[in-house]
Amino acid sequence: WMQNTALKTLNLSSNQICGANTLCGRRQGAHTSEGVKALASALKPNSAGLCASLTSLDVSNNEICNFVFLGKHTYTTAAVEVLAEAIAPDPHTGAFNTSLRSLSLAENYVLNNGARVLAEALSPMPLLNGEWAHNTTLRNLNLTRNGIGGLGAGYLASMLRPNGDGVYNDSIDCINVTDNEDVSLLVDFDNVVIDC
């Protein structure tokens, strides 16, 4: 693999990166998380630096958690899980992506379960050697219009509060949760934008 050291910003918004698209009001294609998996694998710290310089990633409006099959909406966190794994520290080494500073998942039906997955990935985690690690590079997380309610807001708040050992994610500058359901649990945090 060649290392890409020039790419700083990647905007894949509204691109059906999960394989499904709408044509004349009808859903076409199969919804998979393969596009997101390929992207996430390039973000991992052990990916030979394929996206070593990428500082901003926008995958908004791609319905990565919601798809329609035979007229029914189906929810899955598979795509969010692979993205979360790519930005979370490795539980053995503590290594994490050290270039990505901004991630937009706006309008992707993240909902409460997706918020949980992201909060777990960005929360400090104990390593096997007894130390704590968390992603200290990601500064901005855009979760606008994702149907996040009180439960999801609670997950995000827990990442921003000190745990029993006094460790928390103090690196996030802004979490944008504008136009979600009930995110009132996040009102007390200065780095959370609730209503722009």
Side-chain angles (χ1 to χ4, degrees):
W1 296 98
M2 291 183 57
Q3 185 176 26
N4 183 333
T5 57
L7 185 64
K8 301 282 186 211
T9 301
L10 183 58
N11 185 338
L12 294 172
S13 63
S14 304
N15 268 296
Q16 292 90 31
I17 59 175
C18 289
N21 59 48
T22 304
L23 181 63
C24 299
R26 294 183 56 203
R27 185 70 84 182
Q28 305 289 318
H31 185 286
T32 71
S33 58
E34 294 307 310
V36 177
K37 284 181 184 177
L39 183 60
S41 70
L43 292 173
K44 290 184 180 180
N46 60 355
S47 65
L50 293 175
C51 288
S53 61
L54 189 66
T55 60
S56 179
L57 175 61
D58 184 347
V59 290
S60 60
N61 196 27
N62 272 291
E63 297 186 13
I64 63 173
C65 292
N66 178 53
F67 60 98
V68 179
F69 181 70
L70 299 177
K72 295 182 179 180
H73 287 270
T74 303
Y75 178 77
T76 177
T77 59
V80 172
E81 288 170 10
V82 295
L83 278 174
E85 183 182 325
I87 60 175
D90 179 282
H92 302 287
T93 65
F96 56 87
N97 178 297
T98 57
S99 64
L100 191 64
R101 297 199 176 357
S102 179
L103 175 61
S104 178
L105 294 171
E107 300 180 73
N108 271 303
Y109 302 98
V110 168
L111 303 177
N112 291 330
N113 281 335
R116 175 188 50 78
V117 168
L118 290 167
E120 288 173 358
L122 294 171
S123 292
M125 66 172 14
L127 300 177
L128 295 176
N129 64 6
E131 294 181 16
W132 290 88
H134 73 277
N135 184 318
T136 57
T137 308
L138 189 69
R139 301 285 187 209
N140 299 299
L141 179 61
N142 186 346
L143 297 173
T144 301
R145 288 184 221 101
N146 269 299
I148 297 170
L151 191 59
Y155 295 131
L156 295 170
S158 69
M159 147 183 99
L160 301 171
R161 284 192 192 108
N163 64 18
D165 290 323
V167 182
Y168 64 101
N169 187 326
D170 57 352
S171 304
I172 300 271
D173 290 332
C174 181
I175 300 176
N176 189 336
V177 290
T178 303
D179 291 335
N180 278 285
E181 291 178 14
D182 175 16
V183 290
S184 58
L185 286 172
L186 296 168
V187 167
D188 295 332
F189 296 96
D190 292 335
N191 55 346
V192 175
V193 177
I194 293 181
D195 194 13
C196 294

